[in-house]
């Protein structure tokens, strides 16, 4: 940069200084993706998040390659807005689109955080994995294992690992704080809908039948399946389908970000390498927690399936999960729990 005395007045503006600093930090002499990613992060770090966002829009308008970067602030607020939009529509296709968008945004948020951690590992202390215990319900309550399965399916789609109380009363999630927050928001919304839709189905009078021996008539007679059996089958199918939908949304988001998990390490892009580092961080943190807490064995709370005992309830639970809305109505959760 020229000194002030020899025509450098134009170069001493803040944006010009940061432009040149971004070249230094990125190691790039041109204005490619590495430079643009570093420049946007630098603008955010000095408090110019709005300028960074406008500049990224300008890059896109000029047809430049997408920068693997997004603003960290407000991501969870945008996810919450999607949940409210999904909850407010009665159109199944719109609800499905909002669910997919919410999971895609959560995945892109994780990607952005992972890239930022990789970019600044030498300049600043990286965010570290943590853990949080989540209470599912009181001991002895029927159906807790299905609640656990719903939470675990959502957690796995958001890069978390879990340990589960043997009585299914609680789940401890291990991973990065932003992923834990997203998982809790999705779970609390979907749990309300699962319970509400199940109660609506049970009140409809549509019930599977089973053959039971009548001692007085000395023959088998058809009797409705027990309410608890139908409820468990409904919950089981709902949790399974939600897990599939979230995993599909996650894979679509990773593909859109250009992540190829089958590519060799030397041909992987920056985003793929950052995600791999994030997975290793969570894996190591989780493994250390298992050793420290002497956790052994596997959870078997929902090993016995109820699907065959109540096929109609299973089908209805699957349909409810396909049209499930996302929401964070705490009052509904309190009533359902």
């Amino acid at each position: 940069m020229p000194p002030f005395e020899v025509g450098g007045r134009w170069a001493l503006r803040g944006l010009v200084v940061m432009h040149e600093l971004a070249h230094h930090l990125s190691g790039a002499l041109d204005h490619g993706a590495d430079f643009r990613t570093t420049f946007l992060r630098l603008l955010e770090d000095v408090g110019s998040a709005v300028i960074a966002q406008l500049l990224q829009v300008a890059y896109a308008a000029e047809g430049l390659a997408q920068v693997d970067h997004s603003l960290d602030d407000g991501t969870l607020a945008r996810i919450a807005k999607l949940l409210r939009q999904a909850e407010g529509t009665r159109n199944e296709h719109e609800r499905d689109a909002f669910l997919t968008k919410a999971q895609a945004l959560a995945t892109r948020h994780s990607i952005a955080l992972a890239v930022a951690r990789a970019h600044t590992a030498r300049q600043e202390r990286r965010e570290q994995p943590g853990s949080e215990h989540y209470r599912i319900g009181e001991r002895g309550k029927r159906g807790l294992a299905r609640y656990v399965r719903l939470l675990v399916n959502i957690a796995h789609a958001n890069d978390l690992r879990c340990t589960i109380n043997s009585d299914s009363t609680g789940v401890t999630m291990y991973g990065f704080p932003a992923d834990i927050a997203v998982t809790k928001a999705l779970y609390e919304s979907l749990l309300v809908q699962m319970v509400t839709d199940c109660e609506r189905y049970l009140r409809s009078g549509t019930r599977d039948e089973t053959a039971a021996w009548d001692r007085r008539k000395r023959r088998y007679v058809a009797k409705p399946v027990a309410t608890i059996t139908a409820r468990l089958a409904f919950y089981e199918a709902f949790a399974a389908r939600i897990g599939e939908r979230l995993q599909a949304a996650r894979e679509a988001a990773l593909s859109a970000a250009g992540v190829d998990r089958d590519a060799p390490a030397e041909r992987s892009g920056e985003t793929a390498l950052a995600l791999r580092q994030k997975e290793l961080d969570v894996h190591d943190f989780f493994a250390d927690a298992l050793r420290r807490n002497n956790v052994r064995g596997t959870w078997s709370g929902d090993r016995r399936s109820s699907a065959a005992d109540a096929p109609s309830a299973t089908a209805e639970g699957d349909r409810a999960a396909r049209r499930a809305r996302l929401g964070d109505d705490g009052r509904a959760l309190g009533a359902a729990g």
Side-chain angles (χ1 to χ4, degrees):
M1 296 176 61
F4 178 84
E5 293 79 10
V6 290
R9 181 187 296 270
W10 66 269
L12 297 183
R13 291 174 296 169
L15 283 177
V16 176
V17 173
M18 285 188 286
H19 176 105
E20 299 302 329
L21 182 57
H23 278 298
H24 172 72
L25 294 175
S26 66
L29 298 178
D30 60 10
H31 299 104
D34 289 342
F35 165 81
R36 296 195 299 273
T37 299
T38 304
F39 191 21
L40 292 175
R41 178 62 193 270
L42 184 59
L43 287 171
E44 286 183 15
D45 286 346
V46 300
S48 300
V50 174
I51 294 177
Q53 190 171 26
L54 292 174
L55 185 57
Q56 189 167 7
V57 171
Y59 286 153
E62 293 298 320
L64 298 174
Q66 177 62 39
V67 177
D68 290 327
H69 182 88
S70 62
L71 295 178
D72 294 345
D73 293 338
T75 300
L76 289 178
R78 291 196 294 273
I79 293 175
K81 181 178 179 180
L82 285 170
L83 303 185
R84 291 192 295 272
Q85 287 176 306
E87 191 172 29
T89 181
R90 297 182 180 180
N91 185 295
E92 286 188 29
H93 299 291
E94 288 184 358
R95 283 195 291 264
D96 188 67
F98 284 133
L99 170 61
T100 301
K101 181 66 175 177
Q103 182 59 49
L105 180 58
T107 301
R108 288 200 301 273
H109 180 55
S110 297
I111 291 172
L113 290 178
V115 171
R117 283 192 296 271
H119 271 305
T120 60
R122 296 180 181 179
Q123 284 80 28
E124 59 185 58
R125 183 177 180 272
R126 294 191 304 167
E127 181 185 19
Q128 297 298 316
S131 63
E132 182 173 335
H133 185 75
Y134 193 93
R135 183 74 171 173
I136 297 295
E138 297 300 323
R139 184 174 185 178
K141 181 177 180 179
R142 301 292 294 273
L144 290 183
R146 271 62 177 186
Y147 292 176
V148 168
R149 177 53 60 189
L150 177 63
L151 177 57
V152 169
N153 286 351
I154 298 170
H156 284 172
N158 285 284
D159 299 323
L160 302 181
R161 297 294 179 266
C162 302
T163 56
I164 306 167
N165 292 8
S166 58
D167 56 6
S168 302
T169 56
V171 174
T172 301
M173 295 174 284
Y174 300 83
F176 287 94
D179 296 327
I180 294 176
V182 168
T183 295
K184 288 165 57 181
L186 288 170
Y187 171 75
E188 290 171 2
S189 172
L190 289 167
L191 176 62
V192 174
Q193 295 175 77
M194 181 178 76
V195 174
T196 302
D197 288 345
C198 182
E199 294 305 317
R200 184 182 300 114
Y201 163 73
L202 294 175
R203 289 195 301 269
S204 70
T206 305
R207 191 75 62 84
D208 294 287
E209 292 186 341
T210 185
W213 178 256
D214 189 312
R215 296 173 60 183
R216 184 175 61 83
K217 296 180 179 179
R218 300 182 64 79
R219 61 183 174 85
Y220 284 96
V221 297
K223 288 188 175 182
V225 167
T227 299
I228 185 59
T229 301
R231 179 177 286 110
L232 294 180
F234 186 103
Y235 289 174
E236 184 179 330
F238 187 97
R241 178 60 62 185
I242 288 297
E244 292 178 6
R245 288 179 64 186
L246 294 180
Q247 286 292 348
R250 169 183 166 77
E251 292 304 319
L254 292 176
S255 178
V259 176
D260 182 2
R261 293 183 177 275
D262 296 326
E266 61 272 14
R267 288 168 48 196
S268 298
E270 182 184 22
T271 297
L273 292 174
L275 278 176
R276 180 55 179 163
Q277 183 60 52
K278 175 186 174 182
E279 291 175 353
L280 291 174
D281 288 345
V282 174
H283 175 275
D284 293 345
F285 179 77
F286 182 58
D288 181 64
L290 294 182
R291 287 192 296 270
R292 284 187 289 101
N293 297 313
N294 196 29
V295 177
R296 299 179 180 179
T298 56
W299 178 68
S300 58
D302 64 348
R303 181 170 295 176
R304 184 184 181 282
S305 173
S306 303
D309 299 328
S312 294
T314 298
E316 187 60 32
D318 183 81
R319 282 192 291 270
R322 288 178 183 273
R323 63 175 184 266
R325 298 171 289 114
L326 295 181
D328 53 0
D329 189 342
R331 291 174 299 174
L333 177 59

